[in-house]
Amino acid sequence: MTSWLLAMVLWLLTPLIVTAQPNDQARDLFASTEASVFQVRVIDKSTNNKSSTGSGFLIEESGILATNYHVVSSVVDKPEKYRVEILLKDEQPVEATIITLDIVHDLALLQTRPLDAPVLPLAQQEPAKGETVYSIGFPYDLGITVIAGTWNGLAPHSASPRVHFSGSLNPGMSGGPAFNNANEIIGVNVSTAGNQMSFLVPVQSLRELFDNRPAEPLTSFNELIARQLTANNKRLMDEMMAGDWSTVPLAGAHALGEVTGFLRCWGNSKDESNKQDNRPFFATRSCQTDHNISVTSQFFTGKFELQFYWIESDELSPTRFYDYYENVYSQYRPGNAGTKRDLGPWRCEEDFVIAGHTKTERTKTVFCTRAYKKFTGLYDVMFLQGSVDREQQAFMSHFTLSGTTREQALRFTAQFMESGVW
Amino acid sequence: MVIVEILNTTDGQPRYERIDKQQVSIGRAPDNDIILLDPYVDGHHLRLDITDPDAWTISDLATTNGTRRGKEPVQVAQFAPGDQFRIGKTFIRIYDRNFQVAEALSLGDLEHRLLDFNSLGITIGLSLFMIVTGLASVFLSFSGGDIKPVTYIRGVTDLLITPVLFAMAAALLARILRGESRFRPIYNLSLAFAAFAVYVDLVLGVLNYNLPGTTGKGFLTFSINVIMVVVYFWAIMLLTTRLKTVWRNLLTLLFVLGIYGSHFITYYSHRDAFRPFPSYDARLYAPDWLFRSGITPADYQGSLPELFDEADEAAAEDSENEQ
C-alpha cells in the first residue's frame, strides 16, 4: 500500500520536475542579465513627463544600447518636442541620444554614458525550432519581467525577417532582448499578434546595424530613413518582378496568382444559392504584404496590395448596371495611413486605355500618387483599371504601392498592365 | 351695345358676344340673347339692363346656384364695364365698346414676354416632365435592393422642391413689391431652368466622361452653370421688382457674386485640408455613351513621370504653406 502511494506521488511529481527546469533557467537568466536591461523612456520636453516607454539593453561598454525604432520614433520625428532617457536600477534617469536606426527591421541604437552593467553577448547561431527562449522587458511600465516561449524560426512569407516567438509580449517590452539557453541574445522583442503570437527581430539585423554604426550620432535621420525605405522597396520590388506572373481565373476574367511569397492572397464571391438581395454577382481576389513599416505612430508605409474584382448581372440594364459599377469603382482606397505632416496631396492621371494584351478593349484607368514630404524620392501610388466596354459585366484591377520610388512604380505598372490580367 | 366675354372654366377658352340691345338675357334656354351650355346655369339666369349709360344693372332671376361678383352673391346690383361675374361654372365680363383695354404686351419687352409665359399647358407639361425625370433618375440608379415607392416620391420631391420653393418665395416677393403674385410665369420659369439644369448636367457629364482629366469641374460645366444662374436671377428680378434696369443688373451681379463667392471661400478654406484618399474621376456610363477610343498602355505610362513632378510640387507647396 505504501509503495503504491509513493509511486502515485512520484508520478504526480514528474511533470512538476520537468517543468521546473525552464523556470530555473529563467531564474538563472534573469539573475545574470537583469542588470543590463533598462527601461527606455520618451520624455515630453515641455511637461518633463514620460509619454511612452519601452525596453533596451546594453551591447557595448561605452554605453551603447539597442532598442526598437518604434520605441523612440517620436523623438526621431519631433526632436524639438521629445527626448529619450534610460532609467537605471536605482530609478535614476540618464540622458541618451539616438546614434542610428534601422526603420525596416525596427531597430535603433542609443548612446548613453558608460553604465555599471555587463555587456550582453550576441549569439552567433540561431536556436533550433522548438527551443525554449526567454524574453525580458518592462511590460506596461510594471517593472522588469521575464517570459518563456518557443522559438519557431523565421515567419514564412514575411516582407522583412521576423522570428515567430510563441510567448506573450506586451506593450512596454518592445526593444527588450530575447535569449537562448546560453544567455546569448538571439533577437529583439518587437510586436505581438495576441494569443502567444509574438515576433522578434533576428539578432543578425542588430549585428549589421551595430557594425555599420556611424562614429558620431546622426543629427538628422530623414536621409537615412529615405535610403533604407528605398533599398527595402527595391528589394521587395525585385522579388515581385522576378516572381510568378502567371494568371489564375477569376469568374469571367484573369487575376494574378500569389506573385511571390510575401504577398498573401484571399478570395471571396457571392453565394448565389443564398441570395439576400439582387445585387450583381461578384468575385474578388485580394493580395497584400503582411505588415506595414511604422515611421511614426500615425504614419505607416511599405505595404503592397493587389486587388481584382469581377461583377456581372443578367438582370440589370446597362444604365443601371453601370450605376452600380460606378459605386464600386469609386471606392478604392490606398491601404496605408499617414497625416498631413508626412504626405503631400494626391495627384491623379485618368484616361481610357486599351487593356494590355486584349489590344481592343477599353478601360478607364486611374493612376494616383503623392509624395513623402520628409523622404525625398518616395511616393505612395494607387492604380485602378476598370473595363468600360461590357454591358453587364465589369472587371477591375487595382494595386497600391506605398513607400515606392518613381522608377520602381513605373516598372511595376508597366509589368502589371501587360501581365495578362483581364 | 355691349360685348360679353364668356369664359367656361371647363374648356378655358373665352368667346365674345356682341349684343345691340338695351336689355340682355342670359341663360341655358334657347330664347335667351346669350345661350350658355353650362349645366349649372339656370334656363333664365341673368338680365342686364344698360339703358342708363351711368347705371348698368344686373339682376339674378332667383336661380339655383346664384350669381357672384368675386365671392359676393348678387341679386340686383349696379356694375361698371369690365366687372366679372360668376354664374354656375362660367365667368362673364361685360364691356362697352369704349372700354380701355390694357396696353399691348410688347414683343420687344422681356418682362412682357416672361409674363406671357404663363399658360397652364406649360405649367402642367413642365411639372410632368420633372416628375418623369425624378422617377427615371430613381429607377436608373441601382444600389442593390428593391426600390420602394417612398424612394420614388423622394426622388421627385428632391427634384421639384428647390424650383417650387423658389417660385413661391419669388411670387411672395412680387406680391409685396408689385402687388400681384405672378406665380404662374415665375413657376414656369423656375421649372424650365431646373429642367435645363438637370439635362445640361447629364449632357456635360457625358461630355466630360469622354474627355478624361477634366474631372467633373470642367471650365465648360462651370461657365454654363454661371450663365444659367445669372439669367435665372435676372429674369426673376424682372418679374418680381420694379427696379430700374441698372439696379436690377447690379443686384443680380451681387447675388451671383454672393453665391459663387461663398463657394470659392469654402473651397479655398479647405484646399489645404489633408485628404487621405485620392479623389479620382470615378464616373462610368454604359458603353453606348463612350464615343472615344482608348490610348495605348505605353502612351498612358508615358504621361506618368510628369505626374510625379506634379506630386512633388504639390507636396513642396503644401510644406511651404504650413510654415
Side-chain angles (χ1 to χ4, degrees):
Chain A
M1 183 68 182
T2 321
S3 63
W4 182 81
L5 254 182
L6 190 65
M8 185 69 188
V9 168
L10 277 177
W11 179 75
L12 278 171
L13 275 176
T14 322
L16 284 179
I17 292 162
V18 172
T19 50
Q21 202 177 356
N23 286 347
D24 287 347
Q25 197 131 20
R27 198 167 55 219
D28 292 348
L29 176 93
F30 189 72
S32 61
T33 58
E34 185 238 8
S36 310
V37 183
F38 301 91
Q39 189 180 49
V40 177
R41 294 180 155 189
V42 171
I43 307 291
D44 186 305
K45 282 183 178 174
S46 47
T47 63
N48 221 24
N49 271 317
K50 59 179 186 285
S51 76
S52 65
T53 68
S55 308
F57 53 97
L58 192 65
I59 56 170
E60 211 242 5
E61 293 91 356
S62 70
I64 296 179
L65 288 95
T67 186
N68 282 143
Y69 163 74
H70 78 258
V71 169
V72 293
S73 64
S74 48
V75 184
V76 174
D77 187 43
K78 293 179 183 166
E80 69 289 349
K81 183 167 165 56
Y82 299 106
R83 61 185 172 79
V84 59
E85 67 181 31
I86 308 297
L87 202 65
L88 300 183
K89 300 298 157 191
D90 55 5
E91 300 273 306
Q92 282 306 304
V94 182
E95 285 294 316
T97 45
I98 302 164
I99 308 173
T100 186
L101 56 88
D102 179 347
I103 194 166
V104 175
H105 297 100
D106 200 353
L107 292 171
L109 297 183
L110 306 179
Q111 177 76 63
T112 181
R113 66 170 166 77
L115 301 171
D116 184 19
V119 167
L120 298 174
L122 306 184
Q124 296 298 323
Q125 258 188 327
E126 66 174 54
K129 221 168 174 170
E131 199 173 300
T132 303
V133 294
Y134 307 90
S135 165
I136 296 186
F138 294 82
Y140 295 107
D141 198 21
L142 278 180
I144 193 158
T145 305
V146 59
I147 284 164
T150 318
W151 176 276
N152 289 292
L154 286 178
H157 314 304
S158 185
S160 68
R162 246 146 228 248
V163 173
H164 175 199
F165 165 71
S166 52
S168 289
L169 292 185
N170 282 302
M173 294 187 75
S174 284
F179 296 92
N180 60 13
N181 288 328
N183 293 2
E184 297 165 331
I185 290 170
I186 42 99
V188 182
N189 307 336
V190 66
S191 64
T192 177
N195 279 339
Q196 307 257 341
M197 281 272 291
S198 297
F199 297 95
L200 308 172
V201 181
V203 75
Q204 183 57 27
S205 303
L206 176 59
R207 185 177 293 115
E208 279 165 24
L209 182 66
F210 180 75
D211 290 347
N212 297 315
R213 71 188 186 281
E216 291 292 319
L218 292 177
T219 48
S220 166
F221 297 94
N222 288 350
E223 213 178 295
L224 175 71
I225 292 175
R227 217 164 46 232
Q228 289 173 350
L229 291 176
T230 305
N232 184 54
N233 177 255
K234 182 173 186 311
R235 176 179 69 83
L236 296 178
M237 282 294 196
D238 284 346
E239 199 179 319
M240 275 208 287
M241 299 296 282
D244 176 10
W245 285 69
S246 56
T247 58
V248 292
L250 178 75
H254 290 90
L256 288 178
E258 291 195 352
V259 176
T260 185
F262 62 75
L263 277 178
R264 314 294 296 149
C265 297
W266 307 86
N268 190 16
S269 68
K270 182 171 181 175
D271 182 1
E272 291 285 35
S273 63
N274 183 20
K275 267 182 139 176
Q276 302 289 330
D277 54 44
N278 51 3
R279 283 189 176 81
F281 170 80
F282 71 86
T284 171
R285 180 177 169 80
S286 170
C287 309
Q288 50 184 288
T289 48
D290 64 343
H291 76 278
N292 274 324
I293 295 170
S294 141
V295 180
T296 69
S297 57
Q298 292 169 318
F299 177 28
F300 297 86
T301 183
K303 186 168 183 173
F304 299 159
E305 201 171 26
L306 309 183
Q307 236 174 335
F308 307 93
Y309 202 118
W310 169 268
I311 49 176
E312 70 175 290
S313 167
D314 296 335
E315 291 155 20
L316 296 178
S317 69
T319 308
R320 302 186 80 197
F321 179 77
Y322 270 73
D323 190 75
Y324 179 79
Y325 176 23
E326 185 179 279
N327 267 336
V328 180
Y329 187 88
S330 63
Q331 286 173 17
Y332 279 85
R333 304 280 182 258
N336 68 322
T339 68
K340 190 174 168 61
R341 285 187 68 235
D342 311 303
L343 298 160
W346 286 98
R347 287 292 177 266
C348 298
E349 176 79 18
E350 298 133 2
D351 216 323
F352 292 99
V353 182
I354 302 293
H357 72 295
T358 69
K359 308 291 182 219
T360 53
E361 187 170 356
R362 290 173 299 185
T363 66
K364 181 157 185 177
T365 305
V366 176
F367 184 101
C368 298
T369 184
R370 62 179 170 190
Y372 285 20
K373 284 182 178 169
K374 284 189 287 189
F375 310 129
T376 314
L378 284 166
Y379 303 85
D380 286 338
V381 162
M382 195 190 96
F383 174 88
L384 175 61
Q385 195 167 29
S387 65
V388 288
D389 272 348
R390 310 173 196 207
E391 299 212 314
Q392 292 176 307
Q393 297 176 337
F395 183 58
M396 286 157 276
S397 61
H398 154 244
F399 67 75
T400 295
L401 307 171
S402 61
T404 189
T405 61
R406 284 182 193 217
E407 183 199 353
Q408 300 297 342
L410 293 175
R411 187 164 75 124
F412 185 83
T413 307
Q415 180 141 341
F416 188 86
M417 288 180 81
E418 296 294 337
S419 62
V421 168
W422 213 254
Chain B
M1 189 183 80
V2 290
I3 296 107
V4 181
E5 180 194 83
I6 301 141
L7 178 71
N8 188 312
T9 49
T10 46
D11 66 15
Q13 291 299 319
R15 67 185 169 100
Y16 296 89
E17 299 276 351
R18 191 187 295 264
I19 311 288
D20 229 346
K21 292 169 82 173
Q22 299 297 313
Q23 294 206 329
V24 182
S25 63
I26 300 174
R28 208 152 33 82
D31 59 347
N32 284 297
D33 296 319
I34 293 170
I35 304 164
L36 299 177
L37 295 175
D38 186 340
Y40 297 95
V41 168
D42 275 42
H44 298 93
H45 199 113
L46 266 190
R47 195 167 52 239
L48 308 176
D49 188 337
I50 55 169
T51 322
D52 180 355
D54 293 326
W56 288 8
T57 312
I58 186 167
S59 312
D60 179 83
L61 303 175
T63 55
T64 312
N65 293 313
T67 299
R68 282 161 193 272
R69 176 161 48 188
K71 286 181 177 169
E72 272 180 39
V74 171
Q75 298 298 329
V76 178
Q78 293 205 337
F79 70 98
D83 280 4
Q84 194 186 46
F85 297 94
R86 179 182 176 130
I87 53 174
K89 286 196 163 187
T90 305
F91 290 96
I92 60 168
R93 198 193 288 270
I94 302 105
Y95 309 101
D96 70 355
R97 59 155 47 135
N98 299 320
F99 182 77
Q100 291 292 310
V101 295
E103 258 180 78
L105 292 178
S106 162
L107 282 171
D109 186 329
L110 192 59
E111 184 184 355
H112 293 173
R113 298 288 294 265
L114 287 174
L115 277 174
D116 197 35
F117 189 54
N118 67 347
S119 90
L120 187 65
I122 292 178
T123 306
I124 294 169
L126 279 172
S127 303
L128 281 178
F129 184 72
M130 290 297 272
I131 289 169
V132 170
T133 303
L135 295 177
S137 74
V138 172
F139 175 74
L140 290 175
S141 62
F142 179 80
S143 57
D146 294 326
I147 309 173
K148 297 187 175 69
V150 65
T151 317
Y152 280 114
I153 293 169
R154 201 175 299 140
V156 172
T157 46
D158 281 355
L159 206 56
L160 280 176
I161 197 133
T162 315
V164 169
L165 282 182
F166 224 93
M168 286 164 77
L172 190 65
L173 194 68
R175 177 110 210 155
I176 294 165
L177 297 178
R178 307 202 64 134
E180 49 177 330
S181 83
R182 299 183 161 186
F183 180 72
R184 189 71 73 66
I186 290 173
Y187 176 83
N188 284 359
L189 193 70
S190 303
L191 236 51
F193 271 98
F196 183 70
V198 169
Y199 283 90
V200 89
D201 195 47
L202 181 69
V203 171
L204 290 172
V206 172
L207 194 68
N208 272 327
Y209 180 57
N210 282 279
L211 299 166
T214 52
T215 321
K217 299 277 175 285
F219 183 67
L220 188 65
T221 316
F222 179 72
S223 312
I224 288 179
N225 273 309
V226 173
I227 291 168
M228 223 158 53
V229 170
V230 168
V231 170
Y232 177 71
F233 278 110
W234 196 84
I236 289 292
M237 298 284 283
L238 191 64
L239 283 175
T240 55
T241 67
R242 290 177 193 274
L243 292 170
K244 285 183 183 160
T245 314
V246 57
W247 286 110
R248 191 163 57 226
N249 290 351
L250 197 66
L251 267 180
T252 306
L253 186 72
L254 282 177
F255 206 96
V256 173
L257 280 181
I259 291 180
Y260 286 99
S262 65
H263 265 293
F264 277 118
I265 289 167
T266 317
Y267 170 75
Y268 273 101
S269 315
H270 293 290
R271 79 185 197 288
D272 282 343
F274 179 71
R275 289 177 188 83
F277 312 126
S279 51
Y280 52 94
D281 181 355
R283 245 177 321 203
L284 293 171
Y285 291 91
D288 288 344
W289 295 101
L290 181 59
F291 305 113
R292 49 164 291 173
S293 58
I295 61 172
T296 64
D299 283 347
Y300 182 69
Q301 287 159 29
S303 64
L304 297 181
E306 220 172 285
L307 191 69
F308 284 98
D309 292 337
E310 282 176 34
D312 278 341
E313 280 165 29
E317 200 180 308
D318 210 29
S319 302
E320 270 173 36
N321 288 342
E322 270 168 47
Q323 282 159 9

